[in-house]
Amino acid sequence: IAASTASAGVYAPGTVAQEAELEQIVVTGSRIQRQDFEAASPVVTVSSETFDQLGVQSAETLINTMPQVVPSFSTGNNNPGGGQAFINLRGLGEVRNLVLVDGKRMTPGNSSGIVDINTIPTGLIERVEIISGGASAVYGSDAVAGAVNFILKKNFNGVEIGGQYGLSEQGDAGAGNFNVTMGSDFADGRGNAVFFASYDDRDELTKGDREFSKQAVSLTSFFPQGGFFAGPNGPSQAAVDTLFQSYGVAPGRVLAGDTFSFNQDGSIFATSASAATVVENFRGDPNSIDVASNFFPGRYSYNFEPWNKLVIPQERVSLGAQANFEINDSVEAYTRMLFTNYSSSTSLAPSPAPTGPNFTNPAASAFFTLPVTNPFVQANPGLLALMNSRTGDNAALAGTGAAEDILYRRRFVESGPRVESYERDTYQILLGARGDITDNWSFDVYGAHGKYNSMENQDGNVSVTAVERLLDAPDGGTSLCAGGLNPIGAGTLSNECADFVTVLAKNTVTLEQNLAEATISGDLFSLPSGAVSSAFGVFWQEQSFEFLPDSILASGDVAGFNAQDEIIGRVANTDLFAELYFPLVKDLPGVQNLGLTVGYRWSDHSNSGENDSYKAELDWTVVDSVR
């Protein structure tokens, strides 16, 4: 139903303007203005009625269903994404297509210059024009895959109030929207102003809420029960056989190089079961949601999926205003102001640690170093028997043979899920003027300033240093926090010790954009088949970016989320561009119209220096129905 409804709202490029014979128009993908113009590159238009019919609250929900678009970051991107929504035309990547509003660039939402289309108010959209051909000669190098142009409502008179609320067929994942648009002419019809406001709210849905997504389809070696790994100095095969024989497992079914973890009673089970492809001595509930049933009993793995979000919750407030005013018969001034504030959050399974090189001993790679002298190790006869059988040496670890440290990993379920919560706001203010220079020439000049701010809180990180302090403490960490850290078994970390190892990180992102553009267009001269139309222009843009990570992330002493460095930078570019249309042949048998469009763009980038792009399009209309 959605596909057929969407198709009803998509129409051909020839229907962009009903009054083409009365005014000069611009089609997405070209700067040339002339009557009855149709771009040679394919342009598909989606009307606002289609948004209403499908009841979508965000633009990417509809656009991602179109064949030109490969679904990208959207409402379901829990990791990464963080609630942002990007467009990916033709699968060439989000950085290779340009998002425009009324033909002009929007403020980006990240360091790659990608526009988060959450910041475009859906209720203010009149239509969306998508050109999936190369448009870099027209708009710049970020339009290699094409451009998506959001056309907003203009010359609106009256008040329009709308709202909707919906649930999934299972009665969850609620989403609601309320919006109001008000507009009026002023100054005896010489001007018009439009104001828009909307509120959107979307509930979360976790992967654990649906059967098709609640089970992991990939393995992990980080378990809530903890696990130790043989490494270069593993236990002897004889010791492994002896221990597992005491559990009733035949000799040879578990190999010394397997990965080992712990049951709640302190006994050891083999997780990889490389000899017989069956997990041996697992005493937990195999039907527990924590067990990855897609692999059990051949392999044991933790089921991390239920913690992840299937639909990201979001609350959004959008405000917008635009106005135009005829200064005289030839010049019109216009302005546009857009502001969006929205919050969202993502969730991942509790922190696997360490996820990178051990901050206290990088040579140990992504493992903790657990001393054999740890009182909890000494109190476990099975583990102690395996460790005492070691005779080798791992140069990365303290000690040798039976006295060498143990390679250890753990998933810290006691710290709760890794939750990233975002508070973002974006605004852009644009001022411009357009009008006629002569009967055949027109101009458009504008400048814009925009800013994007994001505050990100990360909860559920684990400090590697704090964990190592507990593991290395002679008393098992009981002097540092209540109960210390028992590395054997799940749920052995007290609330006080969970607080001791868990860290909260706060990051800030700021992006500022300034841009200006001037374009003139008109007819150069006439050929027997018509006038040679042209457009010339200059464009300037400057972007500054600042990412300030929390000190714990910058230090690298973190597991769960990635360690991150500070990023501060500025880029700028100045472009010159030109586009010409030559009507070659007209009104001949088999050739109703034959035209050539050429375009060229020269850019000078602060980072990459000078570069250029060009296009050449031959457009042959055989008859009205064949082009």
Side-chain angles (χ1 to χ4, degrees):
I1 295 175
S4 60
T5 306
S7 298
V10 177
Y11 50 95
T15 60
V16 171
Q18 297 294 330
E19 299 178 356
E21 69 276 11
L22 301 179
E23 61 181 31
Q24 306 288 91
I25 64 170
V26 175
V27 174
T28 299
S30 176
R31 303 278 187 167
I32 295 174
Q33 296 188 46
R34 63 188 191 90
Q35 295 177 3
D36 298 319
F37 182 67
E38 293 184 4
S41 298
V43 178
V44 172
T45 304
V46 183
S47 68
S48 59
E49 287 79 8
T50 305
F51 285 88
D52 295 337
Q53 290 165 1
L54 294 181
V56 296
Q57 288 183 229
S58 53
E60 92 276 0
T61 305
L62 175 57
I63 292 175
N64 277 342
T65 67
M66 304 187 70
Q68 302 95 326
V69 179
V70 174
S72 183
F73 295 104
S74 62
T75 59
N77 281 93
N78 183 62
N79 181 33
Q84 292 188 303
F86 305 141
I87 295 176
N88 182 4
L89 281 178
R90 301 166 65 190
L92 297 180
E94 295 83 5
V95 298
R96 288 290 174 253
N97 53 252
L98 182 63
V99 174
L100 305 168
V101 175
D102 288 331
K104 298 171 176 61
R105 293 168 183 259
M106 268 290 289
T107 304
N110 64 16
S111 59
S112 298
I114 306 172
V115 173
D116 176 9
I117 60 175
N118 275 320
T119 60
I120 303 172
T122 306
L124 200 57
I125 296 172
E126 179 179 293
R127 67 181 186 273
V128 183
E129 295 178 355
I130 303 172
I131 175 173
S132 55
S136 57
V138 178
Y139 297 117
S141 59
D142 46 358
V144 170
V148 180
N149 192 7
F150 291 85
I151 311 297
L152 304 185
K153 296 175 182 177
K154 302 177 186 66
N155 298 320
F156 185 88
N157 282 278
V159 178
E160 181 179 274
I161 298 174
Q164 59 174 306
Y165 185 80
L167 295 169
S168 76
E169 62 182 6
Q170 297 190 28
D172 53 12
N177 162 270
F178 175 80
N179 63 79
V180 58
T181 304
M182 299 181 292
S184 176
D185 292 336
F186 62 90
D188 296 326
R190 293 171 58 193
N192 180 270
V194 181
F195 172 78
F196 173 86
S198 72
Y199 173 77
D200 299 86
D201 188 43
R202 183 177 67 220
D203 296 339
E204 74 173 32
L205 187 71
T206 69
K207 289 190 173 182
D209 293 328
R210 293 292 186 268
E211 287 297 324
F212 70 84
S213 59
K214 69 191 304 180
Q215 277 293 333
V217 294
S218 60
L219 294 164
T220 178
S221 59
F222 296 89
F223 313 133
Q225 306 93 321
F228 70 92
F229 300 76
N233 183 22
S236 69
Q237 184 62 48
V240 170
D241 286 343
T242 299
L243 176 64
F244 277 85
Q245 273 185 291
S246 70
Y247 300 147
V249 179
R253 290 185 63 84
V254 177
L255 299 183
D258 285 348
T259 300
F260 301 91
S261 188
F262 308 98
N263 295 302
Q264 287 305 104
D265 61 4
S267 62
I268 297 174
F269 70 93
T271 65
S272 60
S274 56
T277 64
V278 173
V279 175
E280 298 292 356
N281 196 44
F282 178 71
R283 299 182 182 181
D285 180 5
N287 297 315
S288 168
I289 190 63
D290 292 334
V291 177
S293 60
N294 285 326
F295 307 99
F296 196 86
R299 297 285 296 272
Y300 173 84
S301 185
Y302 174 67
N303 181 28
F304 49 80
E305 286 290 12
W307 298 90
N308 291 260
K309 286 183 170 61
L310 195 60
V311 174
I312 297 172
Q314 186 179 90
E315 186 175 19
R316 178 177 59 184
V317 175
S318 298
L319 302 173
Q322 57 183 16
N324 54 78
F325 178 74
E326 294 179 2
I327 298 175
N328 54 45
D329 291 341
S330 300
V331 179
E332 179 185 58
Y334 60 90
T335 183
R336 182 183 75 208
M337 292 168 281
L338 295 176
F339 171 81
T340 300
N341 171 272
Y342 66 99
S343 57
S344 58
S345 66
T346 65
S347 177
L348 299 172
S351 287
T355 47
N358 188 325
F359 186 72
T360 63
N361 182 11
S365 188
F367 294 95
F368 291 115
T369 57
L370 173 62
V372 179
T373 55
N374 181 286
F376 296 106
V377 174
Q378 291 292 314
N380 188 289
L383 177 58
L384 196 59
L386 295 183
M387 296 301 100
N388 287 338
S389 72
R390 297 177 299 167
T391 58
D393 179 34
N394 183 348
L397 303 180
T400 60
E404 186 176 88
D405 284 355
I406 303 168
L407 293 174
Y408 177 78
R409 280 181 175 174
R410 182 185 179 89
R411 187 174 292 272
F412 285 81
V413 294
E414 298 90 348
S415 297
R418 289 167 287 165
V419 175
E420 282 186 291
S421 56
Y422 302 87
E423 185 76 24
R424 300 182 172 109
D425 60 73
T426 303
Y427 73 83
Q428 185 184 60
I429 301 173
L430 181 147
L431 295 171
R434 56 191 167 222
D436 298 327
I437 302 173
T438 67
D439 290 342
N440 292 322
W441 286 85
S442 61
F443 74 94
D444 189 349
V445 58
Y446 73 91
H449 168 74
K451 198 168 186 180
Y452 166 82
N453 295 295
S454 176
M455 173 65 74
E456 172 189 336
N457 292 333
Q458 295 180 345
D459 198 4
N461 280 304
V462 169
S463 166
V464 175
T465 300
V467 174
E468 279 290 358
R469 287 183 63 193
L470 295 178
L471 295 176
D472 295 342
D475 60 357
T478 55
S479 59
L480 299 173
C481 57
L485 171 56
N486 182 355
I488 299 171
T492 58
L493 203 61
S494 67
N495 290 337
E496 184 180 330
C497 284
D499 292 339
F500 182 81
V501 301
T502 306
V503 292
L504 175 69
K506 295 179 179 289
N507 308 320
T508 61
V509 176
T510 302
L511 184 148
E512 188 170 342
Q513 179 195 58
N514 295 295
L515 54 87
E517 184 175 66
T519 307
I520 59 171
S521 60
D523 297 338
L524 291 174
F525 54 88
S526 294
L527 295 175
S529 300
V532 175
S533 302
S534 63
F536 304 92
V538 58
F539 172 78
W540 170 82
Q541 178 179 233
E542 178 187 63
Q543 291 184 8
S544 59
F545 180 83
E546 182 179 75
F547 170 67
L548 300 178
D550 193 282
S551 57
I552 189 68
L553 297 182
S555 72
D557 179 24
V558 65
F561 293 106
N562 295 326
Q564 295 175 281
D565 293 323
E566 178 183 279
I567 302 173
I568 298 177
R570 172 190 171 274
V571 293
N573 63 286
T574 301
D575 297 10
L576 301 175
F577 55 88
E579 190 176 4
L580 292 90
Y581 172 77
F582 298 90
L584 303 179
V585 179
K586 187 175 182 180
D587 297 332
L588 292 178
V591 185
Q592 181 174 309
N593 186 70
L594 182 66
L596 173 67
T597 302
V598 294
Y600 176 78
R601 191 179 187 99
W602 172 86
S603 301
D604 184 10
H605 287 265
S606 59
N607 284 30
S608 58
E610 298 181 9
N611 56 76
D612 54 13
S613 55
Y614 57 86
K615 72 170 183 176
E617 301 171 341
L618 194 64
D619 182 14
W620 172 22
T621 303
V622 183
V623 293
D624 285 338
S625 57
V626 179
R627 182 165 173 243

